[in-house]
Amino acid sequence: MMVESASETIRSAPSGQNGVGSLSGQADGSSGGATGTTASGTGREVTTGADSNGEMSPAELLHFQQQQALQVARQFLLQQASGLSSPGNNDSKQSASAVQVPVSVAMMSPQMLTPQQMQQILSPPQLQALLQQQQALMLQQLQEYYKKQQEQLHLQLLTQQQAGKPQPKEALGNKQLAFQQQLLQMQQLQQQHLLNLQRQGLVSLQPNQASGPLQTLPQDLPQLWKGEGAPGQPAEDSVKQEGLDLTGTAATATSFAAPPKVSPPLSHHTLPNGQPTVLTSRRDSSSHEETPGSHPLYGHGECKWPGCETLCEDLGQFIKHLNTEHALDDRSTAQCRVQMQVVQQLEIQLAKESERLQAMMAHLHMRPSEPKPFSQPVTVSAADSFPDGLVHPPTSAAAPVTPLRPPGLGSASLHGGGPARRRSSDKFCSPISSELAQNHEFYKNADVRPPFTYASLIRQAILETPDRQLTLNEIYNWFTRMFAYFRRNTATWKNAVRHNLSLHKCFVRVENVKGAVWTVDEREYQKRRPPKMTGSPTLVKNMISGLSYGALNASYQAALAESSFPLLNSPGMLNPGSASSLLPLSHDDVGAPVEPLPSNGSSSPPRLSPPQYSHQVQVKEEPAEAEEDRQPGPPLGAPNPSASGPPEDRDLEEELPGEELS
DNA sequence: ACTAGTGTAAACATAC
DNA sequence: GGTATGTTTACACTAG
């Protein structure tokens, strides 16, 4: 029941969820806050509006920017709407990124839309584009902000000098440090901001994208530190340096974040009515986690400062702690540096992996950067980010194919996401295990709904255990352990889990000594899904054409699964056939590749078109694993040759599920 | 329009 | 009686 309460906070209006229609239904959960926000927003913001001039704190600035992001999206929608209503009005730009917005939706006032709604209306690529624009904008603002700060400092300095009172170096140093600290804070806030957006479902995690702008800062920061540390260097100079660095940073970041694709700077800063964006709702995000009472360094009741972990009952206490224990001193500064290095290392690592991925994809003739026919510029951005990243395959996978699709599943609407999303991922066959393997950390920490069906998740959970059986409670635990998302709406998803267990024949309840455990009947599981993909000419076509980069990618991932999945040790993705047999779990979601049954020897007859091999693979593997089912053998993990062995062909059928059930 | 798959909500039964 | 676990039904949504 505490669980219940937790869930309640999220879906404030469970009732009527279905009835009201998708939009409201979906939004309700998240927007319990969102709605409130809009309401309150009108009232509140004025304060934030007060322009920087040094008055705006980093946090405020962030909020402001976040607001703007939403605003831009809204504005975008408005444009779309107006475009629809008045055909003559549509400019070229609009057509370029043409969003197919349902008229009914388009008629809504964009300003009334919640992030989730926007997410539903805009395809992930579109959102992506918006966000990128916004990020560019944000960086500009950051730059301005720091320029102002710099000017202020400079001014102060001059004043003091004029007063004939050369400020002690230490004082200057302190200022500078404070400044730098602020910079760090900005970074954190920015990061949090991105995370928030992502959580709101406005962005699917796009590592490169997320790291892009952020990446530049940390890289430049060391220079700042150096500047600071440089003995004998006048503080003033270093300050200037900072300014320069920032400028450079912002510039590069901007160019990075705002690729050619999009139109001009966007006049989105102001609302249709000319009102500055700032004046709109303060922040929808507040509806979610980003409550005013949160702090990037505070979580789960403890201080997140590296190496600290001091318990703090509430934010107030934490703030106090932060100010006393982590004030601006040598130690903190050093820790900051260390943290920066950590980040840098990770970024370097990411860059390397990205590069490798690019090379691999290039080798496989998949051109990540190649623009897709359908989704114009916007998609491109999505695609671009994709390769780099750790990715969110499902998301992008789905996106390119149908322009009009529902909100990015990958990004997964956090709350009350529609069924469709998950399904699509399923269809695209992204192997859950590989996806999970790759994004394990992401799902674990980000409050993003995993793009898999409950059934596939449950199955994954069960198959991940050595004996391939779990109690309901263990399944729950797996969910919460693996996905941050499932740490929230407990009542809802637990119910769904139970529902799925009962509903699907593929889940078999077995009475155990300890009680009842659930197992998976692979055959049933496979049966569930019609082998559409197998023969679907359209799919094949899509895959081949590269139109559906995502789909390709999915298969690519499938092939890659082994390599990426920790447990699986793969002999080489080059040989799909073997791979297939190897991937014990990865199958899953795959959409079905295929007919489970006649696995007769799939070995020889390659009747599937090339692109599909991945699917085929999965199919087989499933059976294999199914078969051995109860085998003590390490399920997925163990690289047990036995399972992976030659077997792909074998008969899975023989084995009765019954036995597992026993 | 129909169907299948899925998600969500809820009522109910049963066991501990 | 409360809770966890299962089962079942209903409804909504999306895609084929």
Side-chain angles (χ1 to χ4, degrees), chain A residues 340-619:
Chain A
M340 280 192 290
Q341 285 179 344
V342 169
V343 171
Q344 272 188 297
Q345 286 299 323
L346 289 173
E347 283 168 350
I348 290 170
Q349 180 69 24
L350 173 63
K352 279 182 188 169
E353 294 298 333
S354 296
E355 204 173 279
R356 194 194 314 192
L357 176 59
Q358 295 272 12
M360 290 168 72
M361 294 178 96
H363 170 67
L364 295 175
H365 307 293
M366 303 169 64
R367 301 191 184 155
S369 53
E370 191 175 330
K372 276 94 232 155
F374 253 107
S375 18
Q376 273 44 8
V378 203
T379 314
V380 174
S381 68
D384 281 349
S385 55
F386 189 75
D388 301 2
L390 324 168
V391 162
H392 227 203
T395 308
S396 24
V401 183
T402 43
L404 207 172
R405 81 177 33 274
L409 57 117
S411 42
S413 54
L414 320 167
H415 314 97
R421 304 168 183 128
R422 292 146 220 168
R423 273 215 304 158
S424 46
S425 85
D426 264 11
K427 287 192 199 139
F428 282 101
C429 319
S430 88
I432 188 173
S433 55
S434 68
E435 154 76 1
L436 273 185
Q438 290 188 336
N439 304 313
H440 176 260
E441 282 304 315
F442 169 65
Y443 288 125
K444 202 166 159 185
N445 300 311
D447 185 13
V448 169
R449 173 170 204 137
F452 308 107
T453 61
Y454 281 112
S456 56
L457 287 173
I458 293 169
R459 173 172 167 277
Q460 178 69 17
I462 293 173
L463 294 181
E464 274 190 16
T465 63
D467 42 359
R468 302 201 174 180
Q469 55 177 36
L470 284 178
T471 64
L472 179 64
N473 201 41
E474 287 168 335
I475 293 174
Y476 288 161
N477 292 337
W478 185 85
F479 271 66
T480 50
R481 193 174 64 244
M482 301 293 285
F483 305 95
Y485 177 80
F486 291 120
R487 283 169 215 147
R488 318 175 107 228
N489 308 316
T490 46
T492 302
W493 66 260
K494 282 183 178 177
N495 185 22
V497 167
R498 290 194 305 272
H499 168 71
N500 274 268
L501 285 171
S502 294
L503 192 66
H504 300 304
K505 281 188 276 185
C506 58
F507 298 120
V508 182
R509 187 171 172 275
V510 179
E511 282 297 339
N512 207 354
V513 190
K514 295 186 280 184
V517 293
W518 290 92
T519 61
V520 178
D521 179 344
E522 281 299 327
R523 261 195 289 137
E524 281 298 328
Y525 183 82
Q526 291 298 334
K527 271 196 226 164
R528 266 177 24 185
R529 327 175 129 233
K532 289 175 191 168
M533 304 242 354
T534 306
S536 162
T538 52
L539 173 68
V540 175
K541 200 167 64 174
N542 283 346
M543 292 176 112
I544 294 177
S545 69
L547 185 159
S548 57
Y549 173 73
L552 257 182
N553 203 16
S555 56
Y556 170 63
Q557 282 208 344
L560 225 130
E562 34 181 304
S563 66
S564 52
F565 202 83
L567 303 180
L568 311 177
N569 74 5
S570 50
M573 50 191 267
L574 294 185
N575 177 343
S578 64
S580 60
S581 55
L582 297 180
L583 308 172
L585 305 173
S586 60
H587 24 3
D588 122 303
D589 284 339
V590 174
V594 177
E595 27 265 316
L597 332 174
S599 53
N600 48 358
S602 46
S603 48
S604 44
R607 38 176 165 146
L608 299 180
S609 53
Q612 298 191 324
Y613 63 79
S614 63
H615 304 307
Q616 194 176 16
V617 176
Q618 308 201 0
V619 179

Side-chain angles (χ1 to χ4, degrees), chain A residues 187-460:
Chain A
Q187 268 185 274
Q188 288 174 337
L189 289 169
Q190 193 184 9
Q191 207 162 1
Q192 202 181 11
H193 163 69
L194 287 172
L195 188 64
N196 281 334
L197 287 176
Q198 179 224 322
R199 284 179 177 174
Q200 288 174 29
L202 284 177
V203 216
S204 57
L205 184 63
Q206 309 262 338
N208 67 334
Q209 194 182 349
S211 66
L214 289 174
Q215 186 175 3
T216 57
L217 279 178
Q219 283 176 345
D220 288 334
L221 275 175
Q223 295 178 24
L224 297 182
W225 291 112
K226 275 184 216 155
E228 166 230 348
Q233 185 164 22
E236 193 180 358
D237 283 351
S238 60
V239 170
K240 278 182 187 166
Q241 246 187 339
E242 288 177 11
L244 288 175
D245 284 352
L246 280 171
T247 307
T249 298
T252 54
T254 302
S255 59
F256 173 91
K261 59 175 181 204
V262 196
S263 43
L266 16 165
S267 48
H268 309 72
H269 306 288
T270 52
L271 294 175
N273 58 11
Q275 204 178 9
T277 16
V278 193
L279 295 181
T280 42
S281 70
R282 182 175 177 96
R283 45 202 272 77
D284 296 23
S285 68
S286 64
S287 51
H288 302 305
E289 25 250 278
E290 181 68 350
T291 58
S294 71
H295 188 287
L297 287 173
Y298 181 62
H300 295 92
E302 64 180 28
C303 175
K304 298 286 188 186
W305 188 277
C308 180
E309 299 184 350
T310 300
L311 296 176
C312 301
E313 287 178 8
D314 55 35
L315 192 70
Q317 192 180 334
F318 164 73
I319 297 293
K320 214 177 283 178
H321 159 79
L322 196 62
N323 290 330
T324 57
E325 298 300 315
H326 308 301
L328 181 59
D329 57 21
D330 290 343
R331 197 185 58 158
S332 299
T333 316
Q335 287 171 323
C336 265
R337 283 191 194 136
V338 171
Q339 185 64 20
M340 280 192 290
Q341 285 179 344
V342 169
V343 171
Q344 272 188 297
Q345 286 299 323
L346 289 173
E347 283 168 350
I348 290 170
Q349 180 69 24
L350 173 63
K352 279 182 188 169
E353 294 298 333
S354 296
E355 204 173 279
R356 194 194 314 192
L357 176 59
Q358 295 272 12
M360 290 168 72
M361 294 178 96
H363 170 67
L364 295 175
H365 307 293
M366 303 169 64
R367 301 191 184 155
S369 53
E370 191 175 330
K372 276 94 232 155
F374 253 107
S375 18
Q376 273 44 8
V378 203
T379 314
V380 174
S381 68
D384 281 349
S385 55
F386 189 75
D388 301 2
L390 324 168
V391 162
H392 227 203
T395 308
S396 24
V401 183
T402 43
L404 207 172
R405 81 177 33 274
L409 57 117
S411 42
S413 54
L414 320 167
H415 314 97
R421 304 168 183 128
R422 292 146 220 168
R423 273 215 304 158
S424 46
S425 85
D426 264 11
K427 287 192 199 139
F428 282 101
C429 319
S430 88
I432 188 173
S433 55
S434 68
E435 154 76 1
L436 273 185
Q438 290 188 336
N439 304 313
H440 176 260
E441 282 304 315
F442 169 65
Y443 288 125
K444 202 166 159 185
N445 300 311
D447 185 13
V448 169
R449 173 170 204 137
F452 308 107
T453 61
Y454 281 112
S456 56
L457 287 173
I458 293 169
R459 173 172 167 277
Q460 178 69 17

Side-chain angles (χ1 to χ4, degrees), chain A residues 76-88:
Chain A
F76 185 75
L77 284 176
L78 187 66
Q79 287 180 352
Q80 295 299 331
S82 62
L84 283 174
S85 54
S86 56

Side-chain angles (χ1 to χ4, degrees), chain A residues 99 134 208:
Chain A
V99 185
Q134 199 47 37
N208 67 334

Side-chain angles (χ1 to χ4, degrees), chain A residues 3-65:
Chain A
V3 213
E4 306 275 14
S5 63
S7 69
E8 284 310 317
T9 59
I10 295 161
R11 43 185 64 260
S12 58
S15 57
Q17 132 204 358
N18 284 334
V20 191
S22 59
L23 274 182
S24 55
Q26 314 258 341
D28 72 7
S30 57
S31 33
T35 5
T37 331
T38 25
S40 67
T42 29
R44 262 197 270 194
E45 326 323 342
V46 196
T47 53
T48 9
D51 170 30
S52 48
N53 195 5
E55 292 303 310
M56 193 188 268
S57 75
E60 286 170 334
L61 184 59
L62 238 283
H63 289 171
F64 163 69
Q65 288 157 350

